[in-house]
Amino acid sequence: SNAINIVALAESISFRKTMENRAGLMNFFERIEIAEPDAIHLVEILKDLVPAVEALHRYQAIMTYPALQKISEGATRYIVAGALPKRAVDLMDEVVKAAIAKNEILITPELVMNVIEQKTKMPLGAITPQEQEKHMKLEEELHKRVVGQNEAIGAVANAVRRARSGIQNPKRPIGT
């Protein structure tokens, strides 16, 4: 019936799973794609939400602009579940809660990186001497488990080192 108006929101993956295969149902809808915000717009979105998030937590923690930039970068680069800007907003909320738990009033980029490290179980920030030693002996460790794949082991080890050092292209996968 034309008397009923429906507005539906879905992430791309959910849409493909449920709606795209039903051509009859899709005739009643118009698909509008909304792209995820880029880094600059994401920071602006987060900036607009900061007063509400700080008020929600009774101003026990105050967000800094560098921390917002790290949240934007971290949500884009390290957290892949969900769509932007929701995952950035969720990360911002987690960072505020972590700051309150640690009794830190000012939220710094370092705190943001610590929260992302805990959330993703990926080491971020400065490379420790122990980690540096592991990276130096990575091929040896892989050769203990993989036999006869010298070229593949070299490629994997180099990809891991590039990813950890932060010099890989953030828009591409670590390796294939």
Side-chain angles (χ1 to χ4, degrees):
S1 169
N2 290 339
I4 299 174
N5 293 317
I6 297 174
V7 176
L9 299 173
E11 292 177 343
S12 296
I13 295 169
S14 301
F15 178 80
R16 277 189 218 110
K17 284 182 181 176
T18 56
M19 296 293 288
E20 216 168 52
N21 298 334
R22 299 182 176 132
L25 188 58
M26 282 304 300
N27 291 336
F28 295 105
F29 289 96
E30 180 179 341
R31 184 176 175 176
I32 302 171
E33 297 257 350
I34 300 173
E36 290 185 338
D38 61 4
I40 295 167
H41 289 105
L42 185 56
V43 171
E44 291 299 318
I45 291 168
L46 293 174
K47 216 165 57 169
D48 290 343
L49 294 174
V50 165
V53 171
E54 289 176 348
L56 180 68
H57 296 285
R58 297 184 189 96
Y59 300 101
Q60 294 175 350
I62 298 169
M63 188 67 63
T64 62
Y65 188 78
L68 280 180
Q69 290 175 314
K70 272 295 181 205
I71 290 170
S72 171
E73 176 189 321
T76 304
R77 189 170 184 183
Y78 301 111
I79 300 171
V80 295
L84 286 174
K86 184 179 181 340
R87 65 181 186 232
V89 173
D90 291 345
L91 178 60
M92 181 169 64
D93 192 52
E94 288 179 42
V95 168
V96 171
K97 288 176 184 174
I100 292 169
K102 293 180 179 183
N103 291 322
E104 293 184 21
I105 295 173
L106 275 182
I107 298 173
T108 62
E110 292 77 23
L111 178 65
V112 173
M113 294 306 285
N114 289 340
V115 170
I116 294 171
E117 269 187 33
Q118 291 171 356
K119 188 175 176 76
T120 62
K121 311 274 189 289
M122 288 173 38
L124 304 172
I127 297 175
T128 63
Q130 295 87 0
E131 189 180 358
Q132 188 175 15
E133 186 68 28
K134 280 183 184 178
H135 283 283
M136 295 300 288
K137 297 181 178 179
L138 191 56
E139 278 99 344
E140 292 174 28
E141 290 298 317
L142 290 172
H143 277 297
K144 290 178 185 176
R145 298 171 186 254
V146 180
V147 178
Q149 296 290 325
N150 296 339
E151 189 176 336
I153 287 174
V156 168
N158 288 336
V160 169
R161 287 188 195 110
R162 276 193 312 273
R164 182 60 181 103
S165 67
I167 59 173
Q168 92 279 5
N169 183 346
K171 296 185 182 203
R172 297 186 65 199
I174 292 171
T176 55

